[in-house]
Amino acid sequence: MPNRSQKKHKKLTFKYLTPIFILITCQCGCINNVSYRLSQGEIFHTDYHIKYEYNESLADEIFSTLNDFNSSLNPFDSTSIISMVNQNKDVSIDSFFSHVFNKAKDVSIETNGAFDITCAPLVNFWGFGFRKPDSIHTELIDSLKEFVGYNKIHLKNGKVKKDDPRVQLNCSAIAKGYACDVIAELLDSYTIKNYMIEIGGEIRAKGKNPNGDCWKIEISQPIDDKTGLVSQQQTIINLCDKSIATSGNYRNFYIKDGKKYAHTIDPHSGYPVQSDILSASIITQNCMTADAYATAFMTLGLKKSCKLIEAINSSGHEKLDYYFIYS
């Protein structure tokens, strides 16, 4: 059994999309006389809720793991690995960074660049990254696109190599999902058979809930609401031994001069996505995969997304189930 961490941890901050899932909880707290524990808190500027069947609390271990994850992939922490990469400092990457980077590149290739973690300069320009939005100039967007592209950055011998030093990374569309997978590995190391991990709306589940059923996850209707307080049920998904992630443009957006600008940026055009998909939910084995593809499909739109999913599922490499809400 892994040792408990005794060290103190600093408060973590990491801006990501407000949760768009609601966990349907049950009233009983145990099944077969074994208690279900709930570890919850705030990380990445969003809430996490982790429910698991175990005879003692693993809250310290969970937070310690999330803290280590934060030190690798939090772009708002100047000491994190991703921040130092963005600052072109000489830094050796860790397994968290390499796993996210390699999976992101795979999805980028699969989606022909609809998913691209080098979109950071464009995300920042539109006001969804490190600073407030500037005036919109087509010429500036075109200039930023010159150093956006997943094929312009590489991993070699534990180091990041850039074709252009201006290339920057933003992993917000994949990191929360991977954090769920990392916590799942932790719980699996304790041979825990039943758990539900939710971090900022991305979810990975295993086994049964305290009622002995599949975990029940509500998908909300895509109603524009920046506060996250307005929620109406669209459907409920029964989740057993799978992950689910949803992407939508109805939580993180702003209105300027009467026009809505949403946080999903098309890497090809450089502009916020105007998609016929209002909400894309992807169900698959690991949450990192679900998270990345949910974002990619928001960019691709309904027709291209359905065609790509058919091709992915036919390849036999992985199986994607999906629930799209579209206009």
Side-chain angles (χ1 to χ4, degrees):
M1 181 181 296
N3 294 326
R4 290 194 167 201
S5 173
Q6 301 297 327
K7 61 183 179 182
K8 296 181 180 179
H9 306 293
K10 60 184 178 182
K11 182 178 178 64
L12 306 183
T13 58
F14 206 3
K15 291 183 180 178
Y16 277 154
L17 183 63
T18 304
I20 49 183
F21 282 112
I22 296 176
L23 170 66
I24 308 300
T25 57
C26 45
Q27 297 301 314
C28 72
C30 61
I31 183 171
N32 298 329
N33 296 319
V34 179
S35 296
Y36 274 70
R37 307 277 175 171
L38 176 63
S39 295
Q40 57 187 340
E42 180 180 322
I43 192 170
F44 316 153
H45 273 188
T46 191
D47 296 330
Y48 68 86
H49 304 85
I50 302 169
K51 199 164 191 176
Y52 50 97
E53 182 190 32
Y54 200 57
N55 56 8
E56 61 179 299
S57 172
L58 298 175
D60 289 345
E61 289 83 347
I62 289 170
F63 194 84
S64 176
T65 301
L66 290 175
N67 187 58
D68 292 341
F69 186 92
N70 180 82
S71 297
S72 177
L73 291 165
N74 183 350
F76 299 93
D77 180 350
S78 62
T79 65
S80 70
I81 290 175
I82 193 171
S83 290
M84 287 191 280
V85 167
N86 285 342
Q87 298 168 46
N88 295 312
K89 293 183 178 179
D90 185 23
V91 59
S92 296
I93 63 171
D94 61 5
S95 61
F96 293 139
F97 187 98
S98 62
H99 274 85
V100 163
F101 184 94
N102 289 328
K103 185 62 181 182
K105 180 155 285 194
D106 288 344
V107 177
S108 294
I109 293 171
E110 193 76 58
T111 62
N112 193 29
F115 180 85
D116 195 331
I117 61 173
T118 68
C119 253
L122 293 170
V123 173
N124 294 337
F125 173 82
W126 288 102
F128 299 104
F130 311 128
R131 56 186 174 85
K132 298 296 182 183
D134 293 325
S135 298
I136 299 169
H137 299 292
T138 302
E139 295 81 3
L140 180 54
I141 293 174
D142 289 341
S143 68
L144 292 174
K145 285 165 58 179
E146 292 179 3
F147 49 94
V148 170
Y150 66 89
N151 56 345
K152 298 177 181 179
I153 189 167
H154 322 275
L155 296 186
K156 186 175 181 180
N157 299 324
K159 301 282 187 177
V160 175
K161 304 297 181 182
K162 300 180 182 180
D163 294 347
D164 188 315
R166 296 173 297 175
V167 173
Q168 290 191 317
L169 302 179
N170 184 320
C171 295
S172 63
I174 190 172
K176 280 188 304 174
Y178 182 43
C180 291
D181 295 333
V182 168
I183 297 300
E185 291 178 4
L186 171 68
L187 299 183
D188 288 342
S189 73
Y190 285 86
T191 65
I192 295 174
K193 297 180 179 179
N194 301 303
Y195 57 72
M196 188 286 307
I197 303 159
E198 180 266 325
I199 301 176
E202 320 303 1
I203 296 174
R204 178 161 170 166
K206 180 180 180 180
K208 307 293 185 180
N209 67 17
N211 284 337
D213 302 319
C214 287
W215 297 92
K216 299 183 184 298
I217 310 300
E218 177 183 305
I219 296 179
S220 300
Q221 293 182 12
I223 301 171
D224 282 355
D225 172 44
K226 295 179 66 174
T227 68
L229 301 176
V230 178
S231 179
Q232 294 185 22
Q233 178 181 308
Q234 173 74 23
T235 191
I236 293 177
I237 300 293
N238 291 319
L239 199 64
C240 279
D241 301 323
K242 290 286 182 73
S243 300
I244 185 169
T246 289
S247 185
N249 285 328
Y250 52 93
R251 289 285 191 259
N252 194 1
F253 64 92
Y254 62 87
I255 306 294
K256 185 175 182 179
D257 298 329
K259 186 174 182 179
K260 175 183 175 182
Y261 296 95
H263 80 288
T264 304
I265 308 300
D266 184 339
H268 297 303
S269 71
Y271 284 80
V273 166
Q274 300 293 322
S275 176
D276 54 355
I277 297 181
L278 306 178
S279 171
S281 297
I282 302 302
I283 303 172
T284 190
Q285 290 300 125
N286 70 78
C287 202
M288 176 166 58
T289 297
D291 201 5
Y293 276 113
T295 300
F297 295 144
M298 286 296 301
T299 302
L300 288 171
L302 184 64
K303 187 175 181 179
K304 290 182 179 179
S305 296
C306 291
K307 185 177 181 179
L308 179 56
I309 290 172
E310 183 179 353
I312 291 172
N313 290 344
S314 298
S315 71
H317 295 303
E318 49 194 342
K319 176 73 161 55
L320 303 181
D321 291 316
Y322 63 98
Y323 187 96
F324 292 156
I325 303 173
Y326 58 95
S327 60

